[in-house]
Amino acid sequence: MKTPSALSPQPSASLLMEKLVSLCKRRGFIFQSSEIYGGLNGVWDYGPMGVELKRNLKEFWWRRNVKERDDVVGMDGSILMNRAVWQASGHESTFSDPMVDCKTCKGRFRADQLDAIACPMKPSKKIATCDGEKTEPRDFNLMFSTHVGPMADESNKTYLRPETAQAIFVQFKNVLETSRQKLPFGIAQIGKAFRNEINPRNFIFRSREFEQMEIEYFCRAKDGLSLLDYWLEERLKFYEDIGIPRDKIHVKDIPDGERAFYSLKTYDLEYEFPFGIQELEGVAYRTDYDLTQHINHSGKPLDYFDEETKEKFIPHVIEPSAGADRTVLALLCEAFSEEEVTDQQGKKETRTVLRFHPRMAPVKVGIFPLLKNKPALVEKAQALARSLRPHMTIFYDEAGAIGRRYRRQDEIGTPFCVTVDFETLGDPDPALAETVTLRERDSMEQRRIPISELKDYLSDRVF
Ligand code: ATP
């Protein structure tokens, strides 16, 4: 058995990101989109491990915010919507970032991030201090436009949605009437959003195609501020429950002048990424701005009728809006660890481990026969794999030395490994028949457990 002897010195921020990006590619978490054609800037694909990780995140978010609550219902809106939605919401006229052009290198940069972006001609300098000749900032709209139907003209122009929220606002009445909810209640949605970011960077942190997990929680105006604080707490608990400790999340109360003009109060939840403390989620009190805009533009009544007081009014809304990809990146950063271990022969090596919370881990359990050339062991291990597969994601592996197999699972963050060995077959000790070796990722401790207890033992820990 190997024992951890010391944590290796943690790599610098840029080296850590390099190692993480390389691990993500090597082990099938995240690939560059269209890689064989040179990629597409700001767009990423999730591989077999990445898709499981992201699904675990999204499913836990859905479970926590929709299934376990009786005051939140879900919906799944379309990515393409009538252009009028984006005119009413203000996105067509104002969803832009300030951009400067550099006449020297011909690059285009987000004007409010010049001190964070390296000069393409002199990477040791940031754009803010390089010698390039820059233009004054001008607004650049972040929406991708497209046309619906065979004619590419203004009459059928629309946009890929830059946020999921607007579908919720425009379907407010339909959802209210069909779900028979009463205020306060929420509508939740997970889906893709698209922004033509001027400078996509930091791996999947800022990309041009990403996924959001949003709730619009409708309420009476008098309850807005207290519900905002309630949702802030809920969201902080959520991050703890997926393995991101509270002290790594910084809550920023966005000051007047920096918030959207319609927001009475907004908190940003920021995470300590290796490249700096950056936004993971916004929890915003958006007042009745969005519903009012859609009432005014569509002419349709999107108000609420209170049966008890016989009052009609436009609800206010609290919006916790999180990025699934940014949270995946936070999970990866939080989990990544390298440590020095010493094997039984006293040889030192580096163990790379993704210490995911078991609930987030892409693979929950690795199942191995001790030796692949012993049919009795292989059959038993395969039967065990078959019996667990309907209940959780497992990985069956019979290739290579057992230590190497453990190490491969450590690298993708598998919290448990199970080895079927001779004792499982009752050799030499019949009392150990039908037991397996259970190895725990973080402590690397091994112990025997009866096969009959395995499913419950694992289920209690991985969901
Ligand atoms: P930023 O200031 O970082 O551009 P934002 O304040 O514009 O973000 P919101 O419009 O509040 O972001 O979107 C809600 C969430 O969606 C963000 O907290 C983030 O997690 C995610 N998100 C927004 N833009 C991107 C992007 N380009 N790539 C990945 N995730 C994003």
Side-chain angles (χ1 to χ4, degrees):
M1 188 170 105
K2 304 200 183 195
T3 49
S5 51
L7 275 181
S8 300
Q10 290 309 297
S12 72
S14 57
L15 186 60
L16 176 62
M17 283 308 292
E18 244 172 66
K19 288 183 174 208
L20 203 61
V21 173
S22 141
L23 173 71
C24 281
K25 176 168 172 159
R26 187 161 33 85
R27 298 312 313 272
F29 282 88
I30 297 162
F31 311 122
Q32 200 183 7
S33 160
S34 332
E35 190 188 273
I36 60 167
Y37 290 103
L40 182 64
N41 195 8
V43 195
W44 300 91
D45 290 342
Y46 285 75
M49 288 302 120
V51 73
E52 293 293 336
L53 174 62
K54 198 178 190 190
R55 281 180 83 101
N56 290 340
L57 168 68
K58 291 189 288 181
E59 276 167 20
F60 185 65
W61 186 94
W62 195 261
R63 174 176 133 195
R64 191 39 72 79
N65 293 301
V66 182
K67 291 195 173 168
E68 291 178 359
R69 301 183 65 111
D70 56 11
D71 61 345
V72 178
V73 293
M75 71 164 277
D76 185 17
S78 56
I79 286 170
L80 294 172
M81 298 169 76
N82 192 311
R83 179 180 181 179
V85 171
W86 307 110
Q87 290 166 333
S89 67
H91 283 82
E92 187 169 82
S93 52
T94 61
F95 193 64
S96 51
D97 278 336
M99 177 174 78
V100 297
D101 291 29
C102 175
K103 293 182 184 163
T104 313
C105 75
K106 310 281 180 250
R108 292 188 153 163
F109 307 101
R110 206 169 128 173
D112 55 345
Q113 294 179 350
L114 297 184
D115 52 356
I117 302 171
C119 168
M121 290 176 82
K122 214 171 190 199
S124 61
K125 288 214 162 179
K126 302 292 184 208
I127 303 294
T129 53
C130 73
D131 297 331
E133 192 195 337
K134 287 140 211 145
T135 61
E136 285 301 306
R138 62 196 161 91
D139 284 340
F140 172 74
N141 194 297
L142 298 182
M143 288 199 293
F144 284 98
S145 60
T146 186
H147 296 90
V148 177
M151 299 290 284
D153 60 24
E154 274 298 295
S155 68
N156 57 15
K157 182 176 171 183
T158 191
Y159 306 95
L160 302 189
R161 67 180 177 197
E163 61 173 34
T164 57
Q166 294 306 321
I168 298 180
F169 295 123
V170 300
Q171 293 294 359
F172 169 73
K173 202 74 172 183
N174 279 332
V175 176
L176 176 67
E177 283 170 7
T178 52
S179 64
R180 301 174 58 228
Q181 288 283 342
K182 298 215 162 16
L183 287 185
F185 79 97
I187 305 175
Q189 183 174 207
I190 299 177
K192 290 261 182 173
F194 303 82
R195 295 183 189 177
N196 199 1
E197 296 281 354
I198 300 168
N199 303 117
R201 64 208 171 94
N202 290 329
F203 197 23
I204 53 171
F205 177 82
R206 185 175 300 288
S207 45
R208 290 182 165 137
E209 173 174 345
F210 55 96
E211 258 179 300
Q212 293 186 311
M213 307 184 288
E214 296 195 306
I215 304 166
E216 303 302 329
Y217 195 77
F218 298 96
C219 63
R220 291 174 175 79
K222 69 176 175 51
D223 300 324
L225 286 171
S226 59
L227 281 168
L228 180 75
D229 285 346
Y230 163 82
W231 275 104
L232 172 65
E233 268 314 302
E234 281 296 293
R235 300 303 304 141
L236 288 169
K237 261 189 254 150
F238 175 85
Y239 288 110
E240 273 194 307
D241 290 345
I242 59 171
I244 300 180
R246 190 92 163 210
D247 61 4
K248 288 283 197 72
I249 305 266
H250 299 244
V251 178
K252 189 162 146 195
D253 186 347
I254 306 294
D256 291 349
E258 286 180 33
R259 287 192 306 271
F261 69 89
Y262 47 78
S263 171
L264 273 187
K265 199 169 169 72
T266 296
Y267 296 115
D268 275 358
L269 276 63
E270 301 179 326
Y271 172 74
E272 287 178 20
F273 287 99
F275 43 83
I277 299 174
Q278 301 270 340
E279 178 180 334
L280 202 51
E281 165 159 2
V283 184
Y285 179 12
R286 292 176 75 120
T287 65
D288 58 359
Y289 172 77
D290 303 271
L291 286 180
T292 305
Q293 287 295 102
H294 289 301
I295 291 169
N296 292 342
H297 280 75
S298 70
K300 299 288 183 322
L302 298 177
D303 45 14
Y304 180 84
F305 179 66
D306 189 324
E307 303 280 353
E308 278 164 33
T309 60
K310 308 291 175 214
E311 235 188 313
K312 230 181 187 191
F313 58 94
I314 303 169
H316 279 219
V317 75
I318 310 299
E319 178 193 76
S321 170
D325 310 82
R326 281 191 192 178
T327 311
V328 165
L329 184 58
L331 289 170
L332 285 162
C333 293
E334 195 58 39
F336 185 85
S337 134
E338 283 180 329
E339 59 192 34
E340 216 167 66
V341 290
T342 315
D343 66 16
Q344 273 172 335
Q345 287 77 43
K347 222 174 72 199
K348 288 192 169 157
E349 62 172 0
T350 302
R351 177 172 96 117
T352 303
V353 199
L354 288 179
R355 295 177 181 276
F356 291 128
H357 188 296
R359 147 180 304 150
M360 292 294 113
V363 174
K364 306 303 185 191
V365 57
I367 297 181
F368 319 139
L370 182 64
L371 299 169
K372 73 168 175 193
N373 54 1
K374 296 283 177 214
L377 295 178
V378 169
E379 274 162 32
K380 192 87 190 160
Q382 286 180 345
L384 184 58
R386 272 197 303 278
S387 73
L388 287 177
R389 203 168 258 133
H391 306 285
M392 61 193 73
T393 312
I394 65 135
F395 192 91
Y396 174 83
D397 189 3
E398 54 182 35
I402 200 80
R404 292 253 64 81
R405 284 183 259 170
Y406 285 146
R407 207 60 85 243
R408 285 202 287 267
Q409 294 304 311
D410 288 342
E411 245 192 355
I412 57 167
T414 307
F416 300 101
C417 288
V418 164
T419 304
V420 171
D421 45 29
F422 292 105
E423 281 148 324
T424 312
L425 308 176
D427 181 22
D429 183 354
L432 292 180
E434 298 300 313
T435 66
V436 285
T437 300
L438 180 75
R439 185 250 195 193
E440 207 264 332
R441 176 195 67 203
D442 296 341
S443 64
M444 292 194 285
E445 272 170 21
Q446 301 184 10
R447 63 188 191 78
R448 295 208 75 79
I449 179 168
I451 290 179
S452 58
E453 290 172 19
L454 200 56
K455 183 181 142 258
D456 287 349
Y457 180 91
L458 294 170
S459 299
D460 285 350
R461 286 162 181 79
V462 301
F463 296 119

